[in-house]
Amino acid sequence: MKFTVKSGNPEKQRSACLVLGVFENRRLSAPARSVDKASHGFIGGVLRRGDLPGQPGQTLLLHNVPGVLADRVLLVGCGKEREFDETKFQTAVSAAARYLNDTGATEAVNCLTELPIKGRDLYWNLRQAVIATEDALYRFEQCKSEVQKVRKPLKRMTLSVPSRRNLDHGEAAVREGTAIAAGMNLAKDLGNLPGNICTPTYLADTARELARKSRKAKVTVLDEKAMEKLGMGALLSVARGSREPARLITLEYRGGRKDRKPVVLVGKGVTFDSGGISLKPGQSMDEMKFDMCGAASVLGTLRTVIELELPINVVGIIPATENLPDGQATKPGDIVTSMSGQTIEILNTDAEGRLILCDALTYAGRYEPDAVIDIATLTGACVIALGSHAAGLLTNHAPLGNELLNAGRAARDRAWELPLWDDYQQQLESNFADMQNIGGREAGTITAACFLSRFTRDYRWAHLDIAGVAWKQGKEKGATGRPVPLLTQYLLHKAGH
Ligand code: BES
Ligand code: MN
Ligand code: ZN
């Protein structure tokens, strides 16, 4: 989809379709009011007849609206005017995108961007309109033998701004939104691909392909032999049960000054998590193909960073493997030595994410990072604690945590902090090794982070548990592309945006 920005009276826009917001109780948005005036009360008349009560996301297509140059007018309900907020904005924009895609209009002028939202500015509206539109139109069809073609898909959308003075600023917002949406789409595609296609090798190939797009990007891929040499016994203990070779993928982007320390993003890349010998129950096990969504968000974020050529240094590190049962697989009770030298008693092979992350986090120290953020579908407990609205955030550095929480709020991709108090560390004590890999039933998300914290003592570190937010279940099952918006927002801030 191609987005542009334009100012001017809505009724004077030559377009296949003009999109206008209307509120409940027949209240018109400013652009709708302008059209109503030009059409001598046509819009008001339609609403008076009760055809569009105005609940969020309702749509009504009008033809032959007098005094309007556009072929059609699409009215979109926005709820009560006083209650209009970010969520309703998103609902309205998505509804418009879906409706337009199913009508004959391949192009439209969208005036929803002019609706004021408390605490947000025009830049935000424009950027978010791009992201919400791309999100609404996303389809995963790579694995269908026959793709249902949309008869006349929406191809171009013009976003309306109040004045010519907003155009430059608006174009920057669109550019940013487009890059974020592209990063999210990559993360969604990788997440949605099945485990037999999206293997560790596939993730490595994707990273290589990404790096080809920029001279500032470079990829290195370590195989199991190289990991052995580095002493990554924890990571390799997970890979033992799988015939699919594990990979440690590093994607370095150097867009900033040479002497600037990089932000390192570490993404969990378990391309399928069966639980291993501690086998998971069969119900919904297919969803464990999404257990590489942390890795996908790292690649997605780097895609956005590369596209925007941000003047910062970012390193993405992805430990990638499957977790499967096998005669050679790691067994409960096995003890392994991590790259850090610390030994781990593996009491549950299904707590594999922390095992691959701990070695990747030790490896991250080599980059003398400014900060390290790991992103992982780490614990079912996080889904219980926060549901699907917020990612869990745990950190050893409060200011870093706050930056990430703020980035999440700004991008509407929120995280919520859980405590990383030392009090929880005792749950990881083992009789036989330096630590065990599970901490019992209580506070599962926190003890998982406590485990990781034992490998991140040398730098500022934050952990995002995205188990609840990375994909949707049910009829709309699929990857969400989160937390690419949060991560890019954090990096945009670093880049001085
Ligand atoms: N990938 C899972 C976490 C997960 C489960 C995410 C369900 C989303 C939905 C992770 O590897 C795992 O299995 N964690 C265990 C840890 C436990 C054994 C301590 C869990 O959460 O049950
Ligand atoms: Mn697991
Ligand atoms: Zn897992």
Side-chain angles (χ1 to χ4, degrees):
M1 173 94 73
K2 178 104 186 71
F3 294 91
T4 44
V5 255
K6 209 166 167 189
S7 64
N9 291 338
E11 62 275 12
K12 301 223 174 93
Q13 304 288 342
R14 275 183 206 286
S15 166
C17 191
L18 182 66
V19 183
L20 300 171
V22 294
F23 299 104
E24 278 177 40
N25 303 321
R26 306 203 304 259
R27 294 195 56 87
L28 302 179
S29 63
R33 220 168 13 247
S34 169
V35 170
D36 190 52
K37 222 168 160 188
S39 64
H40 302 290
F42 190 89
I43 308 287
V46 168
L47 297 184
R48 253 195 312 281
R49 269 168 249 133
D51 287 355
L52 187 78
Q55 273 131 31
Q58 280 184 331
T59 47
L60 180 67
L61 189 68
L62 307 175
H63 293 272
N64 307 319
V65 179
V68 170
L69 292 183
D71 300 335
R72 310 167 182 77
V73 170
L74 179 66
L75 298 183
V76 184
C78 295
K80 296 204 174 69
E81 186 167 15
R82 287 191 47 193
E83 289 170 9
F84 190 67
D85 60 9
E86 297 164 4
T87 312
K88 281 164 199 132
F89 177 73
Q90 189 151 339
T91 307
V93 170
S94 306
R98 286 203 197 93
Y99 194 103
L100 288 167
N101 207 38
D102 294 335
T103 60
T106 58
E107 164 276 328
V109 173
N110 191 341
C111 297
L112 295 172
T113 42
E114 289 192 39
L115 303 178
I117 306 171
K118 210 171 143 212
R120 302 298 188 188
D121 55 15
L122 183 64
Y123 192 91
W124 192 90
N125 285 17
L126 290 165
R127 196 181 81 165
Q128 230 51 27
V130 172
I131 295 172
T133 300
E134 288 283 1
D135 189 62
L137 299 183
Y138 174 85
R139 298 271 175 290
F140 180 75
E141 287 167 332
Q142 290 182 49
C143 298
K144 302 246 191 206
S145 64
E146 236 174 286
V147 177
Q148 282 181 24
K149 278 250 159 53
V150 179
R151 199 168 44 90
K152 278 185 160 186
L154 185 62
K155 286 205 188 101
R156 278 176 297 128
M157 183 177 275
T158 303
L159 303 175
S160 165
V161 295
S163 140
R164 287 180 58 178
R165 276 174 302 141
N166 303 126
L167 288 178
D168 283 352
H169 204 51
E171 266 150 31
V174 164
R175 199 168 95 85
E176 215 172 278
T178 306
I180 294 170
M184 290 173 77
N185 281 352
L186 174 61
K188 286 182 206 174
D189 281 347
L190 289 171
N192 290 333
L193 278 168
N196 61 328
I197 296 178
C198 185
T199 58
T201 312
Y202 187 95
L203 288 176
D205 291 344
T206 306
R208 285 200 191 95
E209 203 179 304
L210 255 182
R212 268 206 295 277
K213 290 194 191 138
S214 165
R215 287 179 44 215
K216 295 172 185 156
K218 186 181 107 192
V219 171
T220 26
V221 178
L222 301 187
D223 61 11
E224 293 186 5
K225 229 168 107 197
M227 290 188 255
E228 193 109 41
K229 275 208 189 113
L230 288 168
M232 296 185 159
L235 198 166
L236 289 169
S237 76
V238 178
R240 276 181 73 86
S242 165
R243 311 257 170 118
E244 205 54 68
R247 295 284 181 258
L248 185 77
I249 306 158
T250 306
L251 173 49
E252 283 175 69
Y253 170 81
R254 303 264 166 198
R257 274 176 28 193
K258 269 216 180 73
D259 57 343
R260 285 285 164 85
K261 293 178 171 179
V263 171
V264 179
L265 305 176
V266 180
K268 173 179 174 183
V270 174
T271 56
F272 188 76
D273 179 14
S274 72
I277 296 296
S278 315
L279 195 64
K280 286 183 181 294
Q283 177 94 52
S284 304
M285 205 207 266
D286 66 289
E287 292 183 17
M288 283 300 117
K289 72 172 183 176
F290 293 118
D291 211 18
M292 35 54 70
C293 281
S297 76
V298 170
L299 292 175
T301 300
L302 275 150
R303 175 173 188 178
T304 306
V305 168
I306 288 172
E307 203 157 306
L308 292 174
E309 299 187 282
L310 294 186
I312 48 170
N313 299 327
V314 186
V315 179
I317 300 179
I318 293 166
T321 177
E322 292 181 332
N323 184 25
L324 290 177
D326 177 82
Q328 292 255 351
T330 295
K331 306 169 291 297
D334 286 0
I335 294 176
V336 298
T337 305
S338 66
M339 184 180 174
S340 73
Q342 299 177 93
T343 59
I344 304 160
E345 184 188 14
I346 299 173
L347 287 182
N348 190 321
T349 63
D350 198 11
E352 85 297 341
R354 61 198 78 180
L355 294 172
I356 67 169
L357 287 170
C358 72
D359 280 343
L361 287 166
T362 301
Y363 187 74
R366 299 190 158 196
Y367 289 89
E368 292 183 49
D370 170 46
V372 178
I373 302 157
D374 81 75
I375 306 102
T377 48
L378 205 61
T379 62
C382 193
V383 192
I384 303 302
L386 299 172
S388 57
H389 300 290
L393 179 133
L394 299 102
T395 181
N396 64 12
H397 189 76
L400 171 64
N402 285 329
E403 277 180 66
L404 290 166
L405 293 170
N406 286 334
R409 273 189 284 264
R412 228 190 128 51
D413 179 14
R414 288 167 297 183
W416 193 258
E417 188 169 7
L418 298 173
L420 190 67
W421 297 327
D422 275 342
D423 310 57
Y424 295 97
Q425 289 283 357
Q426 60 179 22
Q427 287 176 246
L428 295 173
E429 279 165 20
S430 159
N431 283 352
F432 305 106
D434 297 344
M435 68 192 89
Q436 55 190 39
N437 78 327
I438 53 171
R441 246 167 52 81
E442 292 181 7
T445 304
I446 299 175
T447 52
C450 282
F451 181 93
L452 298 178
S453 75
R454 295 171 178 228
F455 302 84
T456 61
R457 294 202 174 102
D458 297 340
Y459 48 70
R460 295 182 207 133
W461 159 75
H463 161 64
L464 287 167
D465 193 328
I466 58 164
V469 303
W471 74 91
K472 285 186 259 187
Q473 298 181 304
K475 214 170 125 37
E476 285 184 56
K477 180 154 66 181
T480 59
R482 290 178 69 182
V484 169
L486 181 155
L487 294 169
T488 46
Q489 187 70 43
Y490 167 77
L491 295 172
L492 279 165
H493 186 68
K494 290 242 160 238
H497 279 239

